[in-house]
Amino acid sequence: MLRFYVSLGFICRNLTFQFEQTSEFAGVLEQLETEFYAQALAKFQDSDFTSAGFTEAQVPIQQFENIHSDEATHLSVINSTLESLGASPISGCEFDFSSALTNVSTMAATARVVENMGVSAYLGAAHMLSDASLLTAAASIMSVEARHQTILNLLNDATSIPQAFDIALNPSEVLAVASSFVSGCDVGFSANTPLTVTNNGPIVQGDTLSFSSTAFDTDGNVSRSQNLSCQMLVGGAAVSISLELSSCVVPSSINGPVAVFVTSDSQPINSNIREMNTNTIVAGPAMIFVDAQTDYLGELAVAGTVADNSTTTGSSTSSGNSTSSGNSTSSGSSSAGAADSTATATAVSSVVVSASTAVSTDVASATATSASTASAAATVASSSANAASASSATSASTITAAEAGSTTETISPEQASSILSAASAASAAAATATGAADVAAQALSTLIVAAPASTSGASTDIVAYPGGPNTYVGPLGAVDVLGWSTT
């Protein structure tokens, strides 16, 4: 029985120490985050954010201020908890963010890494907390860190929630990323050897990653390293993607954060934090982001607008009808323009053919056909300049065919007046269209068949040829008819 109590006491003391150590480590991370945002907000002005591409500077500034406030509150609560347990927060830490605060774009990208590290740290430490109330308190902080992570994904014009699960990392792995910013204090855990991804520019699917680390050899030259593997760990995967170090290619299936390790063998790393085979890790992780997709909400946050008919997908193909790259957009209008041109040419051809048939077949229906067809021709005339240009060849060839034969019809003055009125209205509408007026005028010209009439009201046969102007004499006097010849 005595042995049981001694063992229980040891376990309790060990659990208390483990909790205190974990809480102290969490306190350092919250110090890091709080100080990072404080320095960033103090350095950058509205103009710096607009220069970085934000249409409205207050959109990111407001979010950074809110995140800074949250981190300061987290730090205060953790320190109070430590003091209630008789422990003291870690002090004396110095934070150097000079490399991350060179400009707003670099700062926003670093903030994204910092918040991902925060989520991964709390997630990785959850199994170290046996007290349900303490675990709940830590989880409530982690859920807010995850919201920060989502906001920063959007402010970096990326997918807000790229993966269904987050990556859990232990303290040594977190420090491999964070230790470059922290000095002057003992955080209670040793850091893994840092790993740097040396690719220039954003990492995209299909890129071959290159690395540098003091773990490889004295000068960090990867090419002389033998039997090493790269391991890419993503949220939700049971194990890492294992590849030869010299052929570490980002798969086309990845979108979002990736923890990249270098290991001494090809055995994949288990994502379960309690079963992770850490003994093979040579360096890392390094955190990279593969932004294969962009949310509309991210476009709004950065540019203040969303591109029509497009989803920007890094170097991938967009959902429109063309390929977009980086932050470029595609309207998908190229094939639509061609379709409009074809439709316009077909419409003009149909107008001309149907009008010619109506006039030669039934004089009584010619007046009604003229009015409706003239309206259609006016609509054609108001099409875009590109559509009119594409249709001109078709309409010209059709009208030339109409000119080849002559048609003789007899109509009354009343019919002629009705046709002239419809033609006048259509001509006025056609005049407003740039570059398409000629097409409409030629189409309308097939509709007008006028005959000179005597003062007694009798009708006279005419031969209708394009040309003019010509004079029609009727009961109301002489009228000039454009586009036809009586000879």
Side-chain angles (χ1 to χ4, degrees), residues 82-94:
L82 285 169
E83 290 171 356
S84 69
L85 294 172
S88 299
I90 296 175
S91 59
C93 295
E94 297 179 357

Side-chain angles (χ1 to χ4, degrees), residues 46 72 88 92 100 148 185 210 214 219 295 299 312 342 376 404 408 420 425 451:
D46 286 21
S88 299
H148 296 167
C185 58
S210 56
T214 57
D219 60 3
D295 284 359
E299 293 182 32
T312 306
T342 302
T408 302
L420 289 171

Side-chain angles (χ1 to χ4, degrees), residues 101-188:
L101 299 179
T102 55
N103 54 58
V104 166
S105 296
T106 303
M107 180 273 291
T110 304
R112 194 179 180 195
V113 174
V114 167
E115 292 301 331
N116 270 270
M117 285 295 98
V119 172
S120 294
Y122 279 103
L123 188 59
H127 74 283
M128 301 170 69
L129 303 177
S130 58
D131 185 277
S133 61
L134 295 175
L135 180 60
T136 300
S140 69
I141 293 177
M142 188 193 76
S143 63
V144 175
E145 298 289 348
R147 294 191 187 103
H148 296 167
Q149 176 181 290
T150 297
I151 289 294
L152 286 163
N153 286 340
L154 292 174
L155 293 180
N156 281 274
D157 200 13
T159 310
S160 57
I161 309 171
Q163 297 164 2
F165 300 91
D166 283 308
I167 304 168
L169 298 175
N170 63 40
S172 295
E173 293 165 345
V174 171
L175 285 172
V177 178
S179 60
S180 61
F181 300 124
V182 186
S183 63
C185 58
D186 182 5
V187 298

